[in-house]
């Protein structure tokens, strides 16, 4: 058995799969280190197995002691985890407190310039109030031109229509009480989905900084390119660059690695690469290739579904792995007309 992401110490692991020998036969068991925090990236074209692999990781985390896994699920692919008896998982309504976002994030979320008119009012309201209704009332009573107050109020009314900001929104104590928490973001527009991920990422980080939880949080983000280009980008960047010190792991899964910020690939100590065919996506991985990875990365990428090239920066090694079968249902498959039958 080989444990990737670990040099010396023992501790919990997750069964990732088995080595794939050159002749295609099954080799030694491969485990993923869960004892230490990691920044990880899972990439692969649609249908190659990236979401499936993220589910394998979620299953392993659910069985490990001392961790708090949270999955940002924009496609509803992880909802079946909660229906499986094999693991402890729950799907939650994605709602957060308004004050989980700082004033700068509020202005970015609403597309407002914080130095001008409505943006300035929203900034001040987010500084003074802790709830969205409170922010709306503060703006209504603000000493500002009526036109400016109306514009700011209209933007906050749009935020209220998203129905993701509530006074008793998700907090770190509920996210870190054991089991897998799935944030079901399916059907939610990009802006409010980004607000939820930004708030959760910040809550997990702050909980460790302030010693509010002994568990080590793991945030798994599927379709990550939808969040690294929105208001969640700053919170995710902080986890990638500074999360390991307080003990917060961040894993991003995407079919478009070229759309990720350069820091995501450069800071990842573990890369799980499934099949990729887009030239820009292969180039993005190649540009971030570590010096110890000899040869062409594009030539080493797997061709079959479920196979992965694992680049382990902790031990400066690479591994060809066949990802194991899931113990829980996979919700990421596309529907097929042939399964519908005759009307």
């Amino acid at each position: 058995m080989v444990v990737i992401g670990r040099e010396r110490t023992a501790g919990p692991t997750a069964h990732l799969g088995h080595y794939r020998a050159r002749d295609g036969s099954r080799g030694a068991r491969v485990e993923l280190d869960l004892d230490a925090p990691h920044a990880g990236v899972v990439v692969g074209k649609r249908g190659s197995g990236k979401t499936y692999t993220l589910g394998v990781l979620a299953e392993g985390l659910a069985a490990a002691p001392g961790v708090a896994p949270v999955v940002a699920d924009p496609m509803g692919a992880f909802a079946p985890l909660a229906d499986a008896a094999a693991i402890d998982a729950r799907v939650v309504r994605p709602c957060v407190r308004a004050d989980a976002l700082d004033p700068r994030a509020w202005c970015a979320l609403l597309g407002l310039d914080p130095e001008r008119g409505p943006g300035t009012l929203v900034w001040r309201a987010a500084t003074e109030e802790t709830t969205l209704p409170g922010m709306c009332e503060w703006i209504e009573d603000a000493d500002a031109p009526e036109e400016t107050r109306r514009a700011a109020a209209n933007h906050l009314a749009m935020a209220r229509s998203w129905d993701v900001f509530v006074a008793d929104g998700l907090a770190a104590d509920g996210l870190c009480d054991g089991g897998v928490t799935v944030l079901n973001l399916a059907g939610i527009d990009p802006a409010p989905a980004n607000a939820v991920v930004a708030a959760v990422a910040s809550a997990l980080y702050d909980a460790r900084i302030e010693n509010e939880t002994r568990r080590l949080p793991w945030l798994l983000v599927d379709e990550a390119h939808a969040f690294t280009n929105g208001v969640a980008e700053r919170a995710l960047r902080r986890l990638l660059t500074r999360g390991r010190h307080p003990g917060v792991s961040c894993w991003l899964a995407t079919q478009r690695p070229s759309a990720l910020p350069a820091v995501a690939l450069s800071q990842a100590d573990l890369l799980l690469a499934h099949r990729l065919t887009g030239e820009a996506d292969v180039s993005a991985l190649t540009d971030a290739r570590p010096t110890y990875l000899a040869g062409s990365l594009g030539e080493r990428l797997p061709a079959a579904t479920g196979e992965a090239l694992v680049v382990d920066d902790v031990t400066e090694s690479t591994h060809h792995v066949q990802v194991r079968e899931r113990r829980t249902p996979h919700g990421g498959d596309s529907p097929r007309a042939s399964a519908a039958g005759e009307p």
Side-chain angles (χ1 to χ4, degrees), residues 13 46 48 57 122 132 176 182 228 293 316 321:
T13 63
R46 186 182 298 275
S48 65
L57 178 55
V122 169
L132 187 49
C176 298
V182 178
T228 55
L293 184 58
E316 299 187 355
V321 176

Side-chain angles (χ1 to χ4, degrees), residues 3-342:
V3 180
I4 61 175
R6 175 185 296 174
E7 288 185 308
R8 299 180 184 84
T9 60
T13 63
H15 180 200
L16 180 63
H18 291 80
Y19 273 116
R20 187 177 184 276
R22 291 182 180 273
D23 61 1
S25 62
R26 178 166 140 168
R29 182 181 174 112
V30 176
E31 300 277 322
L32 177 68
D33 173 54
L34 300 183
D35 195 40
H38 295 283
V41 176
V42 184
V43 302
K45 66 178 296 184
R46 186 182 298 275
S48 65
K50 63 173 178 55
T51 299
Y52 191 98
T53 296
L54 208 64
V56 168
L57 178 55
E59 289 179 351
L61 287 164
V67 297
V70 179
V71 183
D73 182 15
M75 303 300 290
F78 295 87
L81 289 175
D83 299 326
I87 69 170
D88 178 13
R90 61 187 180 275
V91 178
V92 301
R93 177 191 173 199
C95 55
V96 295
R97 293 171 53 96
D99 59 352
L101 300 181
D102 61 26
R104 179 166 69 166
W106 266 106
C107 289
L109 179 66
L110 300 177
L112 295 173
D113 184 344
E115 297 183 358
R116 295 189 178 185
T120 300
L121 280 187
V122 169
W123 181 291
R124 292 171 58 192
T127 302
E128 297 292 334
E129 300 292 336
T130 60
T131 67
L132 187 49
M135 291 171 62
C136 293
E137 292 177 7
W138 189 94
I139 285 177
E140 184 179 349
D141 298 334
D143 182 14
E146 180 181 354
E147 182 178 351
T148 302
R149 286 188 285 111
R150 185 186 306 115
N154 287 342
H155 280 84
L156 288 185
M158 177 177 64
R160 293 186 77 165
S161 72
W162 294 334
D163 198 29
V164 299
F165 294 105
V166 297
D168 58 348
L170 294 170
D173 56 352
L175 296 170
C176 298
D177 61 357
V180 179
T181 302
V182 178
L183 307 174
N184 188 2
L185 300 169
I188 296 180
D189 289 340
N194 265 263
V196 170
V197 172
V200 168
S202 296
L204 296 177
Y205 182 86
D206 292 343
R208 286 293 301 173
I209 289 292
E210 298 168 10
N211 293 317
E212 294 177 353
T213 178
R214 297 185 63 183
R215 294 180 180 269
L216 301 188
W218 286 62
L219 179 60
L220 315 181
V221 184
D222 200 14
E223 304 295 333
H225 53 273
F227 301 99
T228 55
N229 290 303
V231 75
E233 187 272 341
R234 187 159 56 98
L236 293 175
R237 179 185 292 268
R238 181 169 66 168
L239 293 190
L240 291 168
T241 58
R242 297 160 53 188
R244 275 173 278 192
H245 177 68
V248 186
S249 297
C250 182
W251 282 71
L252 307 180
T254 181
Q255 58 184 299
R256 297 172 52 200
S258 59
L260 295 180
V263 68
L265 294 173
S266 65
Q267 291 294 319
D269 58 274
L270 287 169
L271 167 67
L272 279 65
H274 292 283
R275 185 185 183 199
L276 283 172
T277 55
E279 182 177 349
D281 295 319
V282 175
S283 295
L285 296 187
T286 301
D287 292 343
R289 184 187 68 184
T291 56
Y292 57 81
L293 184 58
S296 169
L297 179 62
E299 294 176 355
R300 302 183 65 175
L301 290 174
T305 300
E307 296 179 8
L309 172 66
V310 180
V311 181
D312 180 358
D313 200 50
V314 177
T315 60
E316 299 187 355
S317 59
T318 60
H319 315 271
H320 288 273
V321 176
Q322 177 67 50
V323 177
R324 68 163 175 83
E325 291 187 6
R326 292 267 298 271
R327 296 190 296 271
T328 58
H330 173 49
D333 291 331
S334 300
R336 297 182 180 273
S338 57
E342 294 294 330

